[in-house]
Amino acid sequence: MFTPIQVILLCVLVGVWTWQKYNLQMFYYASVVTMGVLTGLIMGDVQTGMLVGGAMCLMSLGLFGAGGSSVPEYPVGCIAGAAFAIAMGITGQEAVTTAMTIGVPVAALGAQLDVLGKTSGSFFINKMRECSEKKNWKSMGRWMWASQIPFIGLWVLPILLFTTVGSTYVQSVINAIPAWLNSGLNVASGMLPALGFAILLRQLPMKKYGYFILFGFVLSAYLNMSVLAIAMLAVVACAFIFQSKEAQRSNPVAQDAIMTAVDMEDE
């Protein structure tokens, strides 16, 4: 089902993503969609990869590991689901459903693997502390790099097993799923993005900036503007507001007026 080069590239993709997640932390925005596109490139079907990535990205909205908490790892779940759907030759909405069946459990497994990886980190931290007390900076650096092995290995190993010895068994499970359960998965895949949006809206300052939501709804529902066009207008609005606030901060008189207005609101 998977060629050797595909298995290697998928494992490398998971390893690179896991490493940057715990180190650089630069690619969080639209990371699930990006993983879908890259998986599509590896598997030879970018369109299906984008569909799966977009669907799983909607499911992941509003979920983030605040304060070091562990949440489902949707980027890796997207890699597993998209790779399996493309390998089976499935396209369209059926590919999204199949990818959800595989990817969501893999993503949910991420919470447990993340806890396990962080727990293993205590061993390396103690080693680095011992080296620091002895002022052995080279050994401390080596232990620091060695601490990346559990995090990367915990994710690469499941994907490696999934794409080699486990792919046949997974396909058998998919084929054995009854029609009523597939229908339920279709309904769930449609509801979960709405749940993601609801969680995201609860985290946004709706009381202060809720009119932007209404503005976007009018543009979409009554002017038939695409999501990309609305997003570009949102970027323009954000840039304008940011520049206006920066100009106010650079003007002491305007800043005093703002602080006075805020104090009056608090009263």
Side-chain angles (χ1 to χ4, degrees):
M1 181 181 293
F2 295 93
T3 64
I5 187 65
Q6 288 174 342
V7 173
I8 294 172
L9 290 177
L10 288 174
C11 290
V12 170
L13 178 60
V14 173
V16 171
W17 161 254
T18 305
W19 180 83
Q20 78 83 31
K21 174 187 176 182
Y22 294 105
N23 292 275
L24 296 179
Q25 299 183 353
M26 294 177 60
F27 305 103
Y28 272 98
Y29 298 104
S31 59
V32 184
V33 179
T34 303
M35 292 301 105
V37 173
L38 294 177
T39 303
L41 286 172
I42 293 172
M43 299 299 299
D45 189 349
V46 178
Q47 183 176 0
T48 300
M50 292 182 66
L51 288 174
V52 174
M56 298 200 74
C57 182
L58 291 175
M59 296 176 63
S60 66
L61 290 176
L63 298 177
F64 61 96
S69 60
S70 300
V71 296
E73 188 69 13
Y74 280 102
V76 180
C78 176
I79 294 173
F84 185 81
I86 296 172
M88 291 183 63
I90 304 174
T91 58
Q93 183 59 37
E94 187 179 356
V96 175
T97 303
T98 302
M100 294 292 183
T101 306
I102 299 298
V104 171
V106 173
L109 180 63
Q112 284 72 32
L113 293 180
D114 186 65
V115 172
L116 183 60
K118 290 176 179 176
T119 302
S120 68
S122 60
F123 168 78
F124 296 95
I125 290 175
N126 289 329
K127 290 294 184 180
M128 285 187 284
R129 184 176 60 187
E130 293 175 2
C131 295
S132 176
E133 292 173 352
K134 299 176 182 179
K135 297 183 180 181
N136 189 349
W137 312 124
K138 290 185 178 180
S139 296
M140 181 179 176
R142 284 193 291 267
W143 279 112
M144 185 274 294
W145 284 108
S147 66
Q148 308 296 311
I149 297 176
F151 285 102
I152 297 175
L154 282 172
W155 272 116
V156 172
L157 182 60
I159 296 298
L160 178 62
L161 295 176
F162 165 77
T163 54
T164 54
V165 299
S167 59
T168 303
Y169 299 102
V170 173
Q171 184 174 3
S172 300
V173 172
I174 295 298
N175 295 334
I177 294 177
W180 61 267
L181 183 55
N182 275 326
S183 299
L185 290 173
N186 282 326
V187 175
S189 64
M191 294 175 60
L192 288 174
L195 178 61
F197 271 114
I199 296 174
L200 181 63
L201 290 175
R202 284 184 60 85
Q203 297 176 356
L204 295 176
M206 293 296 297
K207 293 183 179 180
K208 189 175 183 180
Y209 297 110
Y211 50 85
F212 281 110
I213 302 294
L214 180 61
F215 181 62
F217 173 77
V218 171
L219 293 179
S220 176
Y222 295 97
L223 299 181
N224 295 322
M225 294 184 64
S226 65
V227 175
L228 179 60
I230 297 174
M232 294 174 66
L233 289 177
V235 171
V236 173
C238 290
F240 175 77
I241 294 174
F242 176 78
Q243 292 179 353
S244 298
K245 290 185 177 294
E246 287 295 313
Q248 292 174 354
R249 291 191 184 95
S250 62
N251 188 340
V253 177
Q255 182 67 19
D256 292 340
I258 294 174
M259 296 302 297
T260 302
V262 171
D263 292 339
M264 294 179 64
E265 289 180 359
D266 294 337
E267 293 177 359

